[in-house]
Amino acid sequence: MDKILDFIETEVQQAFTECGYDVKFAKVTLSNRPDLCEYQCNGALSAAKEYKKAPFLIADEIAARLSGKDMFEAAESVKPGFINLKLDASYLAGYLQEMQMDKERFGCEAAKEPKRIMIDYGGPNVAKPLHIGHLRSAIIGESIKRIGRFMGHEMIGDVHLGDWGLQMGLIITELCIRKPELVYFDKDYEGEYPKEAPFTISELEEIYPTASAKSKEDESYKEAAMQATYELQNGRRGYQALLAHILHVSVTDLKRNYEDLNVSFDLWKGESDAQPYIPAMVQKMKEEGYAYISEGALVVDVKEDSDTKEVPPCMILKSDGASLYNTTDLATIVWRMKDYNPDEIIYVVDKRQELYFTQVFRCAKKTRLINEDTKLTFHGFGTMNGRDGKPFKTRDGGVMRLERLVSEINEQMYQKIIENKSVTDKAEARKTAKIVALSAIKYGDLSNQASKDYIFDIERFISFEGNTGPYILYTIVRMKSILAKYRELGEKTENAKILPAKSESEKELMLEISRFGAAMENAFTETAPHKVCAYVYGLANAFNRFYHETKILAEEDKEVQAGYISLLKLTKNILEKCIDLLGFYAPERM
Ligand code: ARG
């Protein structure tokens, strides 16, 4: 179904044509003075120049035409030439009535030309615990994926594991010192390797930081780790078997962590999956004359005339022939194009990697790893800071582990829920706390424009009031409880007709609802989950205002009451759809 603004604009265009003016002037926008009107058209002001006529004369003519139409309760011309519009309450109710019939999309049209979009997010590094730096990528990427899917696109999420660096060599080296008897270290061994990993996830998470610390102090240790990495990457059997164990143990744990965050990926590919594509890619870049040797390294120039800052060449191979993060990212583009041929690849990565991605994208374009019309998009996000404005740390100044952060917030939320006394069963309170805490974390992040740094203010995020996730959930829970009470009265909550608004607050709620489709479309085109948040917050506020001014359950006129209930249900369904797009959901009680 068309967006409400399109319907309005069509009427206004007609009026312009009927009065003899070009339709290009018939642009309608949301009013920036909601106290005066709901929508406005300023076209008479620009038409005045072309038609050499006073703007208010044109506005008068148009307003007179529009006043006669059923769609408007009022169409006023205001000097010097504004046209202020208010929608007719019955028209608006009819529009909502149609939205409510569409149980899945509430009238929001899916893209007519669906695109295949790959989204690279999460980006955890194997064997290293997830830290809060990875939180943003997971939360933002998941939401972009869901919004895209809702808009009808084929979205393919790929976690792009960091599984190819020195960290692997470090783990192998440390393991070799601790358990030299393991068969993986025996060069002459030709049999099968054990199925069981020789370590648990907690051991693995302890081994890596220990090894990393040792390598910083001990040069020979570091060399051993580099040598192990080299041998691993060049196919030493025992090491590759170890890598498979490290990957398996690590990925099992990562999946559990992401599940707790309601984040999931279609592909669990990693940097290592790109390695087989490197030799042919490098060969081609050399043959076609793009890559050349500079100071021993193989590079591709990527600077452009219009650059205001220096963009250094993209390094393809180091002087010792080793591949780099760049090489892996380029080769990843190769298999993504080969296996999926996407229209676009979106990277949700810390914005400090922007220059790096500029190099990679330019290189991919220049060396034609992608098609002419494939879009590569860098969606950089800012830093998550503590209340002191500095990057978020633990109390003792260490790197905050994601799991620990989440469990701390779960605990605080649990206390709050117990104090609220709305959920008395302890086990249910724990479950509810997790659901609400997730909304606090995700909404706290997503409500900011992704590219900006933001303050991770737990106290504010977990509050049930203000622009927070829990406030949105609280509003939904309130609606659920009204619906339950309505049913207890023996009333049916089947979709009764939505009636024309009888009060200011009811109309405002209806206007907010009617803008759902436009808000989602906009959030998608601008890759902006924060726009979904802004919409959700406006809608929740509009509902709460309506609720405080309207006696729903005490309403005596049954038809009016049933209409309120339908309106409430539609609001609830839309809010629930929106939070699903943000990656969280509402409990029954809280
Ligand atoms: N593993 C990387 C990190 O922790 C992020 C990966 C981002 N994606 C990519 N295609 N480079 O910084």
Side-chain angles (χ1 to χ4, degrees):
M1 117 192 224
D2 278 349
K3 293 185 289 277
I4 195 144
L5 189 61
D6 296 336
F7 281 120
I8 300 172
E9 211 158 65
T10 307
E11 289 288 302
V12 175
Q13 282 173 348
Q14 211 181 343
F16 269 77
T17 316
E18 283 167 6
C19 296
Y21 302 109
D22 198 315
V23 288
K24 74 175 182 221
F25 297 112
K27 183 121 193 61
V28 180
T29 58
L30 212 62
S31 158
N32 51 21
R33 286 287 306 271
D35 51 327
L36 297 180
C37 63
E38 295 153 4
Y39 288 90
Q40 67 187 57
C41 169
N42 301 345
L45 296 166
S46 19
K49 292 185 199 100
E50 189 161 320
Y51 294 96
K52 307 212 176 359
K53 211 167 173 182
F56 73 90
L57 289 178
I58 302 177
D60 280 352
E61 282 176 75
I62 305 289
R65 283 270 165 183
L66 292 173
S67 299
K69 310 217 177 197
D70 290 345
M71 187 185 281
F72 303 107
E73 173 191 301
E76 284 169 356
S77 156
V78 177
K79 281 199 174 135
F82 299 114
I83 302 160
N84 288 354
L85 303 168
K86 273 192 182 158
L87 287 180
D88 175 73
S90 305
Y91 173 80
L92 186 57
Y95 187 85
L96 262 58
Q97 185 62 29
E98 273 197 40
M99 285 179 77
Q100 112 167 318
M101 312 276 247
D102 180 359
K103 300 267 176 292
E104 293 296 318
R105 315 190 51 84
F106 315 106
C108 174
E109 295 246 342
K112 297 216 168 51
E113 288 169 29
K115 297 220 156 68
R116 174 178 281 179
I117 302 171
M118 292 186 89
I119 168 160
D120 180 315
Y121 69 109
N125 299 313
V126 163
K128 299 190 200 170
L130 284 175
H131 60 78
I132 51 162
H134 294 112
L135 182 65
R136 295 212 73 190
S137 180
I139 292 179
I140 298 166
E142 179 71 18
S143 179
I144 294 173
K145 181 185 77 182
R146 288 168 180 240
I147 295 169
R149 257 181 211 160
F150 180 68
M151 291 314 294
H153 301 284
E154 184 189 356
M155 305 294 289
I156 304 168
D158 180 12
V159 71
H160 200 73
L161 283 173
D163 60 356
W164 195 246
L166 182 63
Q167 82 255 37
M168 299 302 169
L170 284 166
I171 293 167
I172 292 172
T173 305
E174 182 60 24
L175 209 59
C176 183
I177 293 173
R178 293 185 190 188
K179 303 179 182 175
E181 71 287 357
L182 287 177
V183 61
Y184 305 92
F185 301 113
D186 179 355
K187 272 192 166 155
D188 301 324
Y189 183 73
E190 285 178 355
E192 292 231 346
Y193 290 104
K195 297 249 173 316
E196 197 78 12
F199 41 72
T200 63
I201 182 67
S202 3
E203 282 172 285
L204 199 54
E205 287 187 349
E206 177 269 318
I207 291 176
Y208 172 72
T210 308
S212 168
K214 279 192 189 173
S215 77
K216 285 190 185 110
E217 277 160 20
D218 180 347
E219 200 47 45
S220 65
Y221 189 98
K222 186 168 181 192
E223 256 161 47
M226 278 160 66
Q227 178 61 23
T229 311
Y230 178 83
E231 288 182 33
L232 167 73
Q233 298 187 346
N234 284 282
R236 180 163 163 179
R237 266 185 85 238
Y239 289 2
Q240 291 202 323
L242 273 179
L243 172 70
H245 285 312
I246 298 173
L247 269 177
H248 181 74
V249 169
S250 198
V251 166
T252 309
D253 185 60
L254 283 171
K255 283 194 173 155
R256 187 180 54 77
N257 269 284
Y258 281 126
E259 206 170 293
D260 281 348
L261 289 173
N262 205 22
V263 168
S264 66
F265 299 91
D266 305 293
L267 300 177
W268 276 82
K269 298 279 194 184
E271 294 172 356
S272 66
D273 291 291
Q275 304 312 313
Y277 297 91
I278 292 178
M281 178 185 83
V282 171
Q283 184 66 20
K284 190 170 158 267
M285 287 180 181
K286 280 196 212 155
E287 272 170 19
E288 295 179 0
Y290 295 117
Y292 66 94
I293 304 285
S294 163
E295 291 169 36
L298 188 72
V299 301
V300 171
D301 278 334
V302 292
K303 61 173 189 289
E304 288 173 5
D305 292 342
S306 55
D307 289 341
T308 48
K309 267 187 281 175
E310 195 201 328
V311 182
C314 186
M315 207 194 279
I316 309 296
L317 294 177
K318 287 202 275 194
S319 46
D320 61 2
S323 58
L324 307 105
Y325 187 43
N326 303 19
T327 332
T328 302
D329 259 318
L330 288 164
T332 299
I333 293 177
V334 172
W335 73 250
R336 284 180 179 160
M337 291 309 293
K338 176 174 125 341
D339 293 354
Y340 293 93
N341 194 25
D343 297 296
E344 182 176 4
I345 308 175
I346 301 176
Y347 295 77
V348 186
V349 185
D350 192 311
K351 74 174 176 204
R352 282 169 291 194
Q353 293 190 30
E354 179 154 20
L355 175 63
Y356 163 78
F357 276 100
T358 302
Q359 293 173 296
V360 169
F361 292 176
R362 285 185 183 181
C363 182
K365 211 178 175 87
K366 183 172 180 181
T367 64
R368 289 178 288 121
L369 301 183
I370 53 171
N371 303 330
E372 205 56 58
D373 51 0
T374 313
K375 245 172 97 183
L376 297 175
T377 310
F378 177 69
H379 197 68
F381 53 81
T383 308
M384 180 168 143
N385 289 324
R387 278 162 91 173
D388 56 1
K390 301 203 186 93
F392 198 87
K393 291 267 158 70
T394 54
R395 243 162 255 143
D396 49 25
V399 175
M400 180 64 115
R401 285 185 54 171
L402 191 57
E403 244 182 313
R404 173 144 160 239
L405 176 79
V406 172
S407 72
E408 273 181 19
I409 299 176
N410 284 347
E411 185 55 38
Q412 288 189 37
M413 194 51 88
Y414 175 71
Q415 298 306 337
K416 238 180 137 103
I417 289 191
I418 291 291
E419 276 162 32
N420 256 4
K421 296 198 171 73
S422 50
V423 182
T424 40
D425 178 68
K426 289 233 160 86
E428 195 196 332
R430 285 261 170 233
K431 251 174 86 184
T432 308
K434 270 179 97 170
I435 300 174
V436 184
L438 185 69
S439 81
I441 298 172
K442 288 200 163 182
Y443 192 93
D445 187 311
L446 294 171
S447 52
N448 305 285
Q449 196 178 328
S451 59
K452 301 220 166 101
D453 295 350
Y454 81 105
I455 305 253
F456 194 81
D457 183 346
I458 301 179
E459 239 122 273
R460 186 170 79 73
F461 290 0
I462 66 173
S463 166
F464 285 20
E465 281 148 45
N467 191 4
T468 70
Y471 166 71
I472 307 298
L473 297 193
Y474 199 75
T475 306
I476 296 174
V477 164
R478 165 177 282 161
M479 295 172 169
K480 288 187 179 184
S481 128
I482 298 171
L483 284 176
K485 285 192 189 123
Y486 182 67
R487 268 183 234 118
E488 272 165 33
L489 293 174
E491 307 294 349
K492 289 202 177 60
T493 47
E494 289 325 311
N495 301 323
K497 215 165 153 197
I498 294 180
L499 302 174
K502 287 161 289 302
S503 65
E504 256 329 285
S505 63
E506 188 181 12
K507 188 164 187 206
E508 271 186 19
L509 172 60
M510 292 173 85
L511 283 167
E512 282 290 340
I513 293 176
S514 72
R515 290 169 194 146
F516 169 70
M520 295 309 111
E521 205 178 282
N522 199 236
F524 174 74
T525 28
E526 297 190 16
T527 333
H530 72 277
K531 301 228 155 155
V532 177
C533 292
Y535 177 73
V536 162
Y537 186 51
L539 184 57
N541 279 338
F543 173 78
N544 284 321
R545 235 175 285 128
F546 163 71
Y547 169 77
H548 286 300
E549 288 177 12
T550 316
K551 291 195 172 56
I552 301 178
L553 292 169
E555 174 59 52
E556 281 173 9
D557 183 327
K558 289 295 159 201
E559 204 190 325
V560 170
Q561 186 181 42
Y564 286 156
I565 292 293
S566 285
L567 185 61
L568 177 148
K569 258 182 84 176
L570 181 58
T571 314
K572 170 177 139 333
N573 291 342
I574 290 180
L575 281 179
E576 288 192 303
K577 171 55 78 187
C578 289
I579 60 170
D580 179 53
L581 299 183
L582 297 173
F584 57 91
Y585 51 97
E588 287 310 308
R589 275 177 288 274
M590 65 188 265

